[in-house]
Amino acid sequence: MTSTAARPSNDAGAASTSGKTFDSLDPRDGSVIATHPVQGPDEVRAVVDRARRAGQWWADLGFDGRRDRLGAWRRLLIDRTDELAALVSRETGKPLDDARLEVVLVIDHLHWAGKHAKAALGRKRFEAGALMVNHRATIEYRPLGVIGVLGPWNYPVFTPMGSIAYALAAGNAVVFKPSELTPTVGKWLVDSFAEVLHRTDGYGEGLFALVTGEGETGAALCRSGVDKVAFTGSTATAKKVMATCAESLTPILAECGGKDALLVDHDADLDDAAAAAVWGAMSNAGQTCIGVERVYVVDAVAEAFLDKVAQRAATLQPGGEPRSVYGPITMPSQLGIISGQIDDALSKGGRAVVGGRESVRAPYVNPVVLADVPEDSTAVTDETFGPTVVVNRVRDIDEAVERANASRYGLGGSVFAKKRGYEVARRLRCGMVSVNGVIAFAAMPSLPFGGVGDSGFGRIHGRDGLREFTRALAVSERRFKSINVMTFDRPGWVVKVLSVLASVIYRRNR
């Protein structure tokens, strides 16, 4: 799988000239995992410049060449799943099986992106129109160049790879700035892809490159001349990223927070719905942008449903062991937000069915199930990012839809119903919905992923995700000579004839 195309240099440019560094810590015990450089604007721009040179070689490989190399990377991830999962577990604190699941999902997405890029982005012919029959009309999707990816810490492999894999498959170079909480995972990903390219092409650095640091490094990446920024994080940070990118009209894809709702109709399978609500709310310590944070259950089955949720949630205990059901709160500052929302819910008349304020015991939070919480409580309006869930009863499914859509967020959602599931799903103001399941859409590479409102805009995954990192190139080619209307030399009668022809053709066509 070697290529004769010109290759960029091997210089990765990853060091920090300032000498500043920061440590990556295990959130369970505060031990140091690794030390990373803090890179400034000049260093970041140099990495982007090298990526641009590498990106031309990568684009010239074509869809098949890129698919082969992404396939080799996929096989490496398969062989080293346990190694990467162990690192993810250590740097985030999540259980080993949760980390392993994250890697397995990435393997599936990487395969899909490489396999389907050609069909989604390759040149296709379209109808030129009755008035331009002497032309051929085609559209293809060309890579943008260099994509800057700002990744999150909660799913440090799965989430950024939703941009990285699809951007690479589309023919772009990528510069990745992982969260300052999970930089070691980011470095592992970059190094593993470089290893694949070393094997196949004799070099590896530059095409998929790493920059590390905190907010200033992210801002430097936005100002570095990248052709697009793919951001995942909070709505507040997304606004700062957008403002920075606006300085140079750099486009941005934003996947922000959520306050996802699960709706339970009167005919739902309550055991399935309760299991989904608890897992969707508590897995990964609730640190999931598409996790279940609100449940609206029809009054006729509310008590039975709430009992089933409480029974399940009460058995869960977090911990720092590899086989714990979920781990610590990765970002310490989030503990105050979780406590504040619990206090607000209770002070406004909500009740704690499982847990309560005492459930917050740093760095862990025990499961919390709140019921009958007023809709103006921060526990209902604001993203929590912790193992808590609000269960509120409604008179019918129509009221459930109304309350679910009242949020300023609109990322994902779930509906449990035997008869009206799809009908209800279509009425939700969000980007993705699972019917009689929870978060299932994220595991399906063919489905686009993204939100509306304060949950952001743009899409990763699927054909939409591939096209997100491209520009549409429309080309018209004249196939044979005929009367040309696009010239000052056209005869005077031509436009009149075309007007009559258009009237004849389009009056009768529907």
Side-chain angles (χ1 to χ4, degrees):
M1 293 190 292
T2 58
S3 171
T4 58
R7 299 169 180 168
S9 73
N10 285 339
D11 183 10
S16 169
T17 57
S18 69
K20 294 181 180 179
T21 61
F22 67 103
D23 293 332
S24 168
L25 307 178
D26 186 325
R28 295 168 293 191
D29 57 19
S31 61
V32 175
I33 297 172
T35 300
H36 299 271
V38 175
Q39 292 169 273
D42 292 341
E43 297 155 290
V44 171
R45 185 174 290 277
V47 173
V48 171
D49 289 344
R50 280 188 289 273
R52 192 171 301 283
R53 294 193 293 271
Q56 186 58 60
W57 168 81
W58 180 250
D60 290 344
L61 286 175
F63 294 110
D64 293 340
R66 295 193 293 269
R67 182 198 61 209
D68 290 345
R69 288 154 177 83
L70 292 175
W73 192 20
R74 183 184 72 245
R75 290 186 289 274
L76 182 150
L77 292 177
I78 293 170
D79 292 340
R80 300 185 188 173
T81 293
D82 288 346
E83 176 187 331
L84 178 55
L87 179 59
V88 171
S89 178
R90 190 177 177 203
E91 201 159 42
T92 64
K94 68 177 61 179
L96 188 58
D97 275 354
D98 285 4
R100 189 177 285 114
L101 176 60
E102 193 175 336
V103 178
V104 170
L105 290 174
V106 163
I107 290 168
D108 192 20
H109 277 271
L110 190 57
H111 172 258
W112 195 96
K115 179 179 179 180
H116 292 276
K118 188 173 186 177
L121 307 177
R123 188 184 187 200
K124 291 182 179 62
R125 185 171 176 176
F126 291 84
E127 182 181 356
L131 303 182
M132 300 294 284
V133 292
N134 63 322
H135 282 71
R136 177 185 294 112
T138 62
I139 300 174
E140 64 178 302
Y141 294 86
R142 302 290 299 156
L144 292 174
V146 181
I147 307 299
V149 176
L150 300 173
W153 50 264
N154 58 329
Y155 290 93
V157 177
F158 176 71
T159 301
M161 283 292 285
S163 297
I164 293 164
Y166 290 77
L168 288 171
N172 299 280
V174 174
V175 177
F176 178 33
K177 190 265 176 202
S179 166
E180 58 270 25
L181 297 179
T182 54
T184 317
V185 173
K187 185 176 187 301
W188 195 101
L189 291 173
V190 169
D191 289 347
S192 66
F193 188 61
E195 180 179 335
V196 167
L197 292 189
H198 269 296
R199 293 176 184 173
T200 58
D201 300 284
Y203 85 98
E205 295 82 0
L207 177 66
F208 174 32
L210 182 78
V211 293
T212 54
E214 299 187 349
E216 295 80 1
T217 303
L221 183 58
C222 293
R223 295 187 174 104
S224 65
V226 294
D227 298 284
K228 190 167 191 174
V229 169
F231 166 81
T232 304
S234 71
T235 302
T237 304
K239 293 177 180 179
K240 295 178 182 178
V241 171
M242 286 183 67
T244 303
C245 288
E247 297 170 6
S248 55
L249 287 181
T250 300
I252 174 177
L253 181 161
E255 194 256 284
C256 307
K259 194 69 182 176
D260 289 6
L262 184 150
L263 281 58
V264 184
D265 206 353
H266 67 90
D267 62 348
D269 184 318
L270 297 186
D271 287 320
D272 280 355
V278 173
W279 188 83
M282 311 297 174
S283 62
N284 199 36
Q287 299 169 125
T288 304
C289 59
I290 49 174
V292 176
E293 298 209 359
R294 299 178 291 156
V295 177
Y296 294 110
V297 55
V298 171
D299 188 69
V301 295
E303 284 300 328
F305 172 79
L306 187 57
D307 286 345
K308 292 177 183 294
V309 168
Q311 290 171 15
R312 288 178 175 273
T315 65
L316 303 179
Q317 289 291 327
E321 299 302 317
R323 304 251 174 226
S324 299
V325 292
Y326 64 82
I329 300 301
T330 306
M331 189 164 63
S333 61
Q334 199 67 26
L335 292 164
I337 294 174
I338 297 169
S339 296
Q341 290 192 11
I342 295 171
D343 289 343
D344 188 66
L346 298 178
S347 68
K348 289 182 177 177
R351 57 192 177 98
V353 179
V354 175
R357 180 63 180 82
E358 70 281 359
S359 298
V360 181
R361 46 182 190 86
Y364 302 98
V365 177
N366 285 356
V368 178
V369 178
L370 303 169
D372 305 325
V373 179
E375 293 292 303
D376 64 350
S377 169
T378 56
V380 175
T381 61
D382 296 353
E383 186 175 40
T384 308
F385 239 52
T388 73
V389 64
V390 170
V391 180
N392 281 347
R393 62 184 67 212
V394 292
R395 64 179 179 273
D396 54 31
I397 201 67
D398 293 330
E399 184 183 0
V401 170
E402 182 180 351
R403 291 199 188 186
N405 288 343
S407 174
R408 66 181 184 274
Y409 294 103
L411 194 52
S414 301
V415 177
F416 277 79
K418 290 181 180 176
K419 292 183 179 179
R420 301 175 60 192
Y422 183 75
E423 174 192 335
V424 173
R426 293 184 70 243
R427 296 168 59 192
L428 293 179
R429 176 184 169 272
C430 59
M432 307 82 60
V433 183
S434 287
V435 177
N436 294 324
V438 66
I439 312 181
F441 45 75
M444 301 178 187
S446 60
L447 293 182
F449 184 105
V452 298
D454 275 14
S455 290
F457 47 84
R459 294 296 182 266
I460 58 174
H461 304 172
R463 291 188 176 224
D464 288 16
L466 287 165
R467 290 179 178 173
E468 194 75 46
F469 301 106
T470 64
R471 56 181 174 87
L473 177 63
V475 176
S476 65
E477 297 177 272
R478 194 174 70 174
R479 299 183 298 148
F480 55 86
K481 286 189 175 182
S482 65
I483 297 174
N484 186 2
V485 298
M486 307 299 182
T487 175
F488 289 116
D489 298 328
R490 68 186 179 223
W493 52 266
V494 170
V495 174
K496 293 180 180 179
V497 170
L498 286 178
S499 178
V500 172
L501 183 60
S503 177
V504 172
I505 294 173
Y506 296 117
R507 278 185 187 277
R508 68 184 184 211
N509 284 352
R510 299 180 65 182

